[in-house]
Amino acid sequence: MLTGKGLIAGVMGWPVGHSRSPLLHGFWLRHYGIDGAYVPLAVPPDRTEQAIRALPAMGFQGCNVTIPHKEVAFRIVDRLDSNARRIGAVNTIIVAEDGTLEGANTDAFGFWENLVATAPATWSVTRGPSVVLGAGGAARAVVVALLDAGAPEIRLLNRTQARAAEIAADLGDPRIMVGAWDGRDVALDGAVLLVNSTSQGMNGYPPLEIDLSALPTDALVTDIVYVPLVTPLLAAAAARGNPVVDGLGMLLHQARPGFHAWFGTDPQVTDDLRRFVLDPR
């Protein structure tokens, strides 16, 4: 039930109709019986700063930020958490008690929590190299998560190698090894983890072209894409015996810190939530 004392948050994007965040936050609000609401905020790019700065005046606890506003939000907020600063983008804004805006990035948290919740108990990222494909914002979050988890080596490959080199330079960690895209098959040798953070394999895009022959069969394979839930990469990896992790959990887990900050409850990612977000009918 929503009353005049209800806590309000939302997701800001342009467009925003495709976002599944209202579904998952709405599920948690109902599940935990919280007096609050989470609403879509369709904000055109030329109104981003105006909309973000209006959050305290409108009584919002904060909001999520999605494409194309993440980098703009990074420049507008009053304070940044360490992950937002390292990744260079904000996906969560929290209105502090004094009305100032705190910018956070929870994508690294969401990626890692999804892995540890799904990976076999015997798997460890510290046992060998990780291979990350892509060099966008998601790849930055993935690399930050793996560095913090103790990955001894991260082999970062992107079709435009200069973008991967930029991530390595920005993060400044010698464990990041930038490789050529046409060497991605060889880069799998000895890896304990393969992460596809590109759009290849998503509905409407071509599948990722990669030969998994060199990848050890006990290596974990994950794809940040969740439409479809089982991408061609995950299907091919599972067929050869590799444990796989789909991308939906990253979406769900990255929402937890924001929900906790806005509504005061640390929500759980459950099978019921997964089923609802995939098919809310």
Side-chain angles (χ1 to χ4, degrees):
M1 182 175 73
L2 180 63
T3 73
K5 296 181 179 180
L7 304 172
I8 310 297
V11 55
M12 190 179 296
W14 186 261
V16 78
H18 66 284
S19 175
R20 301 196 183 193
S21 292
L23 287 174
L24 71 97
H25 285 280
F27 178 96
W28 281 332
L29 287 169
R30 291 188 299 273
H31 179 76
Y32 294 107
I34 294 172
D35 183 7
Y38 183 98
V39 297
L41 301 168
V43 176
D46 63 342
R47 295 291 184 90
T48 306
E49 181 169 359
Q50 181 182 3
I52 290 176
R53 293 200 181 279
L55 290 171
M58 294 190 300
F60 273 68
Q61 303 301 303
C63 71
N64 284 124
V65 183
T66 188
I67 295 171
H69 303 322
K70 289 185 176 184
E71 287 75 22
V72 177
F74 179 86
R75 298 192 297 269
I76 291 173
V77 295
D78 300 302
R79 291 180 301 283
L80 295 165
D81 76 357
S82 61
N83 274 353
R85 193 174 295 108
R86 293 162 75 194
I87 295 168
V90 163
N91 76 341
T92 303
I93 297 175
I94 301 160
V95 177
E97 290 186 5
D98 62 0
T100 57
L101 302 175
E102 302 177 2
N105 192 302
T106 63
D107 284 335
F109 172 87
F111 170 78
W112 184 250
E113 288 294 300
N114 186 38
L115 273 196
V116 298
T118 315
T122 55
W123 180 82
S124 173
V125 75
T126 64
R127 292 180 179 173
S130 295
V131 177
V132 178
L133 304 179
R140 283 179 178 265
V142 168
V143 171
V144 165
L146 295 177
L147 290 174
D148 289 350
E153 179 183 336
I154 299 172
R155 300 168 182 171
L156 183 61
L157 301 91
N158 188 56
R159 283 168 291 184
T160 304
Q161 190 169 344
R163 293 192 65 192
E166 182 180 344
I167 292 177
D170 288 348
L171 293 177
D173 195 299
R175 290 174 290 170
I176 305 173
M177 312 295 292
V178 175
W181 183 251
D182 58 9
R184 60 193 180 280
D185 298 345
V186 177
L188 301 179
D189 186 30
V192 299
L193 174 67
L194 168 61
V195 183
N196 176 33
S197 72
T198 75
S199 59
Q200 295 181 30
M202 185 164 59
N203 281 355
Y205 290 81
L208 174 68
E209 294 185 1
I210 190 167
D211 183 352
L212 299 178
S213 300
L215 186 70
T217 55
D218 60 351
L220 191 63
V221 179
T222 187
D223 203 321
I224 67 166
V225 169
Y226 57 89
V227 181
L229 191 62
V230 179
T231 62
L233 171 64
L234 295 187
R240 65 191 300 271
N242 289 92
V244 300
V245 177
D246 65 58
L248 179 62
M250 179 177 175
L251 170 72
L252 304 181
H253 283 285
Q254 65 80 30
R256 287 170 47 205
F259 191 92
H260 182 262
W262 303 321
F263 301 112
T265 296
D266 185 11
Q268 300 302 303
V269 172
T270 62
D271 289 340
D272 285 344
L273 174 65
R274 285 177 58 91
R275 285 191 291 267
F276 177 77
V277 171
L278 286 172
D279 186 5
R281 292 175 296 176

